Amino acid sequence: MKKRFTLFLTIITLMTTSLRAQSDMDMNALLSQINADSLLQTVMDLQNFGSRFALREGGNIEVAEYLVERLHRYNVSAVIDSFHQDGYNWLGGYYDQWFYNVKGILPSANPVDDSIVIVGAHLDAISYDHSTFSLQTLAPGADDNASGVAVMIELARICHANQLQFNRDIHFMAYDGEELGLFGSYYDAEARLNADDKVKLMINNDMVSFQPDNDWRLTLHWYSNAMDPLHRAAELCAQYTDIEPYIPDVADNTDAAYSDSYAYYRNGFPAVFAIEYTFSTSYHTDHDVADSNNYAYHADVARYNMALLADYALLSNGTGVEEHVTATSMCLSPNPANDRAVLLYQNEEGAIASISVYDMAGRLVLRQDEQGDISGTHRTELNLSHLPSGFYICRLQTPSRVETVKFVRE
Ligand SMILES: [Zn+2]
């Protein structure tokens, strides 16, 4: 467990409940700047390459150059990180090709540690006739996955426009060759493993712009080494967007292996993977065009991303920074619990601790604020009688830390 005392924590110490509400308002003000038109513009730009199929003549170098230029515009130092690969593709043809990842770095203002947060999406596309399996000339990939890349670019734009400062480095990544077998993300994740990089979280978006207007849901695929970030992601999505987060059960989570975050998971790094709940019908065809997307929904997905990025990269401009402590000093008993449970925790003198309980979809189901009259161990009783049986997360926030504990309501 790492203790941190930054300037920001000093500010938090002075916070009252009303100031905390103010802090949430700041985050909402920031998120309101996320713009559907600017997402659409990036999707159009990417679609206008005609095809982003990684094995076409010359590969995706021009796409990568465009993304480097976009990131430079937002003062992110970006480079093309190319790699070579050969083999047989899914149609049996032999290839011998260069692939082009884009890597953009936004350094932290005040590093708390040497870990980084990655926001990534694949830049390549594929389209084929689903009855004959023959490749189509155009691979617009507007939803798959210009939408994910557009989120990454929009976050860079928002960071720059607000001169946001973080306490962890952020890497904005675009991956080539995903459709052929996660080539770009394996290349990057393996390089990071060899370089002993510390990845706090990899945030992946793959197909996040197609959704009917009457059903805004977002699937959050999960990896067994990253359950805390998953629940935090669901919580932030529920808190800051109109989208209902959906966490699939094991049987429904198999698609977790079919996008770039899987390469990070396989190399031991924590990741979350967001994908539209209602799968696009033009998936992997030349009908996957910008017109079919829902940019209001897309903008809300970008808001979920910004909130998650702020949380894990420790945004220090006063919009709700928190450090997550996995080792916990609080204790909830009994667990499994019935109508009542007792929570024991440490609090600072005079401080307000807020206790929140969330269900597995990230919905807030109970909230209790407690004044810490004396420092030391506090005991509080939680009334769980109104909760249906199932898994829950109890979250404690004090001026200096956030702790969570999972429990079962019988
Ligand atoms: Zn994809």
Side-chain angles (χ1 to χ4, degrees):
M1 180 163 104
K2 190 182 300 253
K3 276 210 159 156
R4 285 187 318 111
F5 289 98
T6 63
L7 174 67
F8 195 76
L9 290 183
T10 324
I11 298 168
I12 287 188
T13 312
L14 303 172
M15 272 184 175
T16 65
T17 13
S18 64
L19 277 173
R20 187 168 301 288
Q22 177 66 45
S23 148
D24 278 349
M25 269 177 52
D26 290 344
M27 178 53 87
N28 285 321
L30 183 71
L31 297 182
S32 71
Q33 296 174 39
I34 287 172
N35 186 306
D37 288 340
S38 96
L39 291 163
L40 168 63
Q41 186 59 56
T42 305
V43 171
M44 284 302 297
D45 287 352
L46 289 168
Q47 173 174 308
N48 286 341
F49 281 98
S51 171
R52 300 192 309 284
F53 184 51
L55 296 181
R56 77 192 197 284
E57 184 82 44
N60 275 324
I61 188 163
E62 285 174 7
V63 178
E65 282 168 351
Y66 158 79
L67 292 172
V68 164
E69 192 276 320
R70 287 296 304 273
L71 289 169
H72 282 171
R73 205 185 296 175
Y74 308 128
N75 256 354
V76 173
S77 63
V79 293
I80 294 176
D81 187 6
S82 58
F83 58 97
H84 181 266
Q85 207 147 321
D86 57 8
Y88 289 91
N89 70 29
W90 67 295
L91 289 170
Y94 181 77
Y95 64 87
D96 178 9
Q97 186 87 15
W98 282 92
F99 295 86
Y100 304 93
N101 280 0
V102 172
K103 182 177 191 173
I105 298 179
L106 187 64
S108 63
N110 234 325
V112 291
D113 53 31
D114 57 359
S115 69
I116 58 173
V117 179
I118 298 171
V119 181
H122 72 87
L123 61 83
D124 65 315
I126 193 168
S127 69
Y128 53 92
D129 184 308
H130 284 228
S131 49
T132 65
F133 293 99
S134 58
L135 286 170
Q136 293 166 327
T137 314
L138 294 178
D143 185 39
D144 187 10
N145 184 30
S147 65
V149 176
V151 165
M152 183 271 277
I153 292 289
E154 181 68 355
L155 264 46
R157 184 183 76 80
I158 294 292
C159 290
H160 178 61
N162 295 277
Q163 293 297 301
L164 298 184
Q165 300 201 323
F166 298 85
N167 291 337
R168 287 199 173 102
D169 288 2
I170 296 169
H171 289 195
F172 294 108
M173 296 292 310
Y175 310 102
D176 200 1
E178 190 267 358
E179 301 289 9
L180 302 164
L182 316 185
F183 290 173
S185 45
Y186 268 113
Y187 167 78
D188 185 68
E190 283 162 13
R192 290 181 191 278
L193 187 66
N194 291 332
D196 202 23
D197 277 7
K198 310 278 185 295
V199 177
K200 190 73 185 173
L201 183 62
M202 188 273 178
I203 302 171
N204 183 31
N205 295 281
D206 192 355
M207 303 178 71
V208 289
S209 190
F210 179 88
Q211 201 69 182
D213 234 338
N214 58 359
D215 186 14
W216 281 21
R217 276 185 281 179
L218 182 69
T219 300
L220 297 173
H221 283 299
W222 48 271
Y223 304 94
S224 56
N225 66 340
M227 296 311 279
D228 278 353
L230 169 79
H231 294 302
R232 186 62 180 146
E235 188 180 304
L236 289 168
C237 183
Q239 183 177 354
Y240 287 112
T241 76
D242 293 328
I243 299 171
E244 187 184 321
Y246 167 70
I247 298 177
D249 60 21
V250 179
D252 216 9
N253 194 44
T254 47
D255 281 359
Y258 297 110
S259 190
D260 295 304
S261 35
Y262 187 66
Y264 289 85
Y265 162 68
R266 288 298 299 268
N267 281 281
F269 299 122
V272 286
F273 164 22
I275 182 168
E276 60 215 13
Y277 179 82
T278 306
F279 209 65
S280 166
T281 44
S282 4
Y283 170 70
H284 289 179
T285 71
D286 57 12
H287 295 299
D288 180 5
V289 291
D291 282 355
S292 314
N293 290 342
N294 181 337
Y295 295 94
Y297 170 82
H298 195 177
D300 242 17
V301 174
R303 290 184 189 105
Y304 139 78
N305 273 268
M306 187 69 231
L308 187 60
L309 179 65
D311 208 57
Y312 274 85
L314 303 173
L315 176 60
S316 59
N317 293 55
T319 30
V321 62
E322 287 162 0
E323 173 67 295
H324 294 281
V325 182
T326 355
T328 173
S329 70
M330 73 171 167
C331 171
L332 186 145
S333 67
N335 189 1
N338 227 302
D339 281 357
R340 296 188 186 287
V342 169
L343 189 68
L344 291 174
Y345 65 97
Q346 305 291 319
N347 197 16
E348 296 83 350
E349 189 173 346
I352 289 169
S354 78
I355 296 156
S356 321
V357 175
Y358 295 88
D359 66 13
M360 292 310 267
R363 286 181 291 254
L364 179 67
V365 291
L366 177 69
R367 160 119 194 201
Q368 218 163 291
D369 287 335
E370 310 262 323
Q371 182 83 33
D373 295 329
I374 44 159
S375 55
T377 304
H378 286 249
R379 178 186 192 281
T380 192
E381 197 171 294
L382 302 178
N383 179 356
L384 309 174
S385 56
H386 66 293
L387 300 181
S389 57
F391 285 97
Y392 292 89
I393 289 169
C394 178
R395 179 167 181 270
L396 170 80
Q397 177 159 9
T398 79
S400 65
R401 69 193 196 284
V402 172
E403 292 183 19
T404 56
V405 65
K406 207 186 261 186
F407 70 93
V408 176
R409 161 81 166 97
E410 276 183 333

